[in-house]
């Protein structure tokens, strides 16, 4: 009651004059200002900078002074084979990652929940989280430890003793879809498992008690209670991942492959392509066209997905 | 229910745990194996000839590593402090239901999660507008604030700080800043610890900003130094030629490389068991609602 009485006059003031109100809350505005300013520079200025995609960027003329070229950058991007390859790779990798990660993470969460020994549970969880915790650079080292063509474990300790020729891993593109999928799963499975485990722990134990009274087996409890009750979380996590399907994990594709040029047909994704166009080959036109394409499609996907989330569960929608 | 879990479950989980841990073991063992043995037999999971030369090399003249460590530590510490300050200030203000700009600011933060300008415009802002390339700021500024963290913190403030607490302080005559510093901050330690941990990890593991903005070797972070040495063994030789000044034999480049990786993993691996609880808590906060 007192709360209500206290906030009412405040809203009344707000109606009177917005500026007066803002002045009244100048301290809160000041608190917000550094963060607002940061986002302006780091996020909003680049958003306005997307018009660069329609320019022939020339550093001596400056960003404003460069010539407008309309859709020339996009034409250039789509005339070659590049656009097809990078879009295909990005979409395929992300789809496979989403499918495998979701299935495995739910599986591990369900069986981790069955472990009643606290110490063992903590051990399993820590072990699975450790890869998530290290940087992608370290992941690059780990992959290199296995696949180094001269000294790596796979060639030296597995293939050679079996009488097979060592494989030049960083020169053969065909193996990498499997390698990268494995590495991605290895690195991210612990995180997703914890997310789903938290959802499972949140289920009311009464459901299980009632089920046991009715004689439900463990398996039945799992398939009839656990999975259905965490399915909203699964759906939302999956939809969110779909919303990001046009964004590849740059670190994975850059570090794990050691940026080897020979692997491009199967490992080049939009993010690595933009990076290369911008900072290696210096082709700002291509970089900006591919970047804009990515941002726009990404935006459309996120908004679409959010509409879907809203359908499933209003409270989990982002906006 | 003291029902034991199915032994199959333990077998599966144990195997998975091993798959997660064994790769690090390989790196460790390589760093501890004598170079000649490595060159003959390749990397393996058991040191055929145990040897500490790689670490001795790195200790003997540790300048490049110590410098890179220093850069990483400075960037992380400064970054985390500023980041927590501006994230919590913004999050607090938009958590106040009586703040007239709340709606606009929340949307302003939120929009950054939906749409981005892409790498090129972002790069141009930092290099042509802020001119931060080859400075420590290039490593600190980009990671300062994520909209996602702001929204997590806002949810925390809105849910766990009773509005009546703020109102009674206002009645007692406390200024907004006073309320924020002496009431809100102490009450928000759990969320600060969680977000602080996330930001610490992301600063410590960051290498992309170095890759994009840093050419000056004195400003290499630990991760970027590692990145350079993995991609380019000549670079490693160049780093260690300073180190091996007094020793006439060829430095054990293969094991040194892996030894550097171990040195970089160390701080995280040591604190990880203690922070894991917060980490898991944070993951679940973040996952349940952005």
């Amino acid at each position: 009651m007192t709360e209500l009485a206290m906030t009412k006059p405040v809203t009344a003031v707000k109606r009177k004059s917005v500026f007066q109100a803002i002045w009244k809350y100048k301290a809160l505005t000041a608190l917000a200002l550094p963060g607002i300013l940061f986002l302006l520079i780091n996020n909003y200025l680049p958003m306005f900078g997307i018009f660069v995609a329609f320019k022939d960027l020339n550093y001596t003329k400056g960003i404003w002074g460069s010539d407008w070229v309309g859709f020339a950058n996009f034409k250039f991007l789509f005339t070659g084979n590049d656009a097809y390859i990078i879009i295909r790779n990005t979409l395929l990798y992300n789809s496979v990652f989403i499918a495998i990660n979701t299935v495995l993470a739910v599986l591990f969460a369900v069986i981790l929940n069955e472990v009643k020994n606290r110490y063992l549970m903590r051990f399993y969880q820590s072990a699975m989280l450790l890869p998530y915790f290290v940087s992608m650079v370290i992941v690059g080292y780990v992959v290199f430890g296995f696949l180094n063509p001269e000294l790596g474990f796979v060639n030296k300790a597995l293939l050679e003793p079996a009488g097979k020729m060592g494989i030049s891993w960083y020169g053969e593109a065909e193996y990498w879809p499997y390698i990268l999928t494995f590495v991605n799963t290895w690195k991210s499975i612990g995180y997703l498992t914890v997310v789903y485990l938290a959802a499972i722990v949140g289920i009311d134990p009464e459901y299980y008690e009632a089920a046991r009274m009715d004689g439900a087996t463990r398996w039945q409890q799992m398939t009839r209670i656990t999975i259905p009750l965490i399915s909203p979380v699964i759906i939302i996590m999956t939809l969110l991942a779909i919303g990001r399907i046009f964004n590849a994990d740059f670190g994975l594709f850059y570090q794990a492959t050691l940026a080897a040029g020979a692997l491009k047909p199967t490992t080049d994704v939009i993010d690595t392509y933009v990076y290369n166009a911008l900072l290696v080959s210096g082709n700002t036109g291509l970089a900006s066209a591919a970047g804009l394409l990515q941002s726009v499609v990404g935006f459309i996907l996120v908004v679409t997905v959010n509409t879907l989330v809203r359908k499933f569960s209003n409270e989990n929608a982002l906006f | 229910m003291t029902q034991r879990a199915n032994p199959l479950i333990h077998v599966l989980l144990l195997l998975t745990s091993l798959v997660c841990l064994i790769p690090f073991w390989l790196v460790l063992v390589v760093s501890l194996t004598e170079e000649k043995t490595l060159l003959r037999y390749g990397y393996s999971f058991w040191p055929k000839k145990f040897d500490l030369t790689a670490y001795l090399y790195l200790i003997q003249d540790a300048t490049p590593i110590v410098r890179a460590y220093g850069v990483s530590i400075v960037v992380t510490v400064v970054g985390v402090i500023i980041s927590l300050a501006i994230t919590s200030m913004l999050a607090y203000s938009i958590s106040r239901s009586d703040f007239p700009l709340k709606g606009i600011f929340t949307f302003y933060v939120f929009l950054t999660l939906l749409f981005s300008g892409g790498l090129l415009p972002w790069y141009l802002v930092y290099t042509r507008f802020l001119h931060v390339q080859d400075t420590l700021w290039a490593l600190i500024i980009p990671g300062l604030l994520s909209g996602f963290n702001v929204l997590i913190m806002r949810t925390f403030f809105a849910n766990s700080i009773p509005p009546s607490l703020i109102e009674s302080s206002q009645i007692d005559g406390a200024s907004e800043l006073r309320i924020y510093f002496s009431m809100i901050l102490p009450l928000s330690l759990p969320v600060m610890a969680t977000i602080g941990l996330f930001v610490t990890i992301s600063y410590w593991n960051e290498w992309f900003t170095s890759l994009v903005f840093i050419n000056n070797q004195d400003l290499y972070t630990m991760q970027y130094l590692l990145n350079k040495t993995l991609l380019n063994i000549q670079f490693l030789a160049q780093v260690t030629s300073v180190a091996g000044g007094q020793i006439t034999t060829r430095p054990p480049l293969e094991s040194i490389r892996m030894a550097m990786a171990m040195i970089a993993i160390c701080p995280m691996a040591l604190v990880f068991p203690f922070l894991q609880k917060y980490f898991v808590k944070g993951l679940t906060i973040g996952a349940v609602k952005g």
Side-chain angles (χ1 to χ4, degrees), chain B residues 69-122:
Chain B
Y69 239 91
V71 172
S72 281
I73 291 172
V74 167
V75 166
T76 305
V77 170
V78 175
V80 169
I81 292 172
I82 303 180
S83 171
L84 280 180
I86 69 176
T87 306
S88 67
M89 287 178 344
L90 178 56
Y92 171 64
S93 68
I94 62 173
S95 79
R96 282 274 298 267
S97 54
D98 54 333
F99 182 43
L101 295 173
K102 172 190 144 110
I104 300 170
F105 281 2
T106 310
F107 181 74
Y108 179 88
V109 172
F110 191 74
L111 197 64
T112 63
L113 300 182
L114 297 185
F115 192 71
S116 90
L119 181 65
L120 175 67
W122 181 80

Side-chain angles (χ1 to χ4, degrees), chain B residues 31-51:
Chain B
S31 77
L32 290 172
T33 307
E34 194 215 27
E35 184 80 355
K36 273 187 193 140
T37 320
L38 277 185
L39 293 176
R40 186 175 314 148
Y41 300 105
Y43 304 157
S44 72
F45 282 100
W46 200 250
K48 290 198 175 62
K49 203 165 174 199
F50 183 82
D51 179 78

Side-chain angles (χ1 to χ4, degrees), chain B residues 155-187:
Chain B
T155 310
F156 176 89
F157 288 136
N159 291 338
S160 40
I161 293 176
S164 53
L165 199 68
I166 296 167
E167 277 156 22
S168 64
S169 327
Q170 282 171 334
I171 293 171
D172 290 342
S175 69
E176 291 286 4
L177 292 181
R178 179 84 196 271
I179 294 174
Y180 170 73
F181 282 109
S182 43
M183 300 220 354
I184 306 301
L185 282 188
L187 282 175

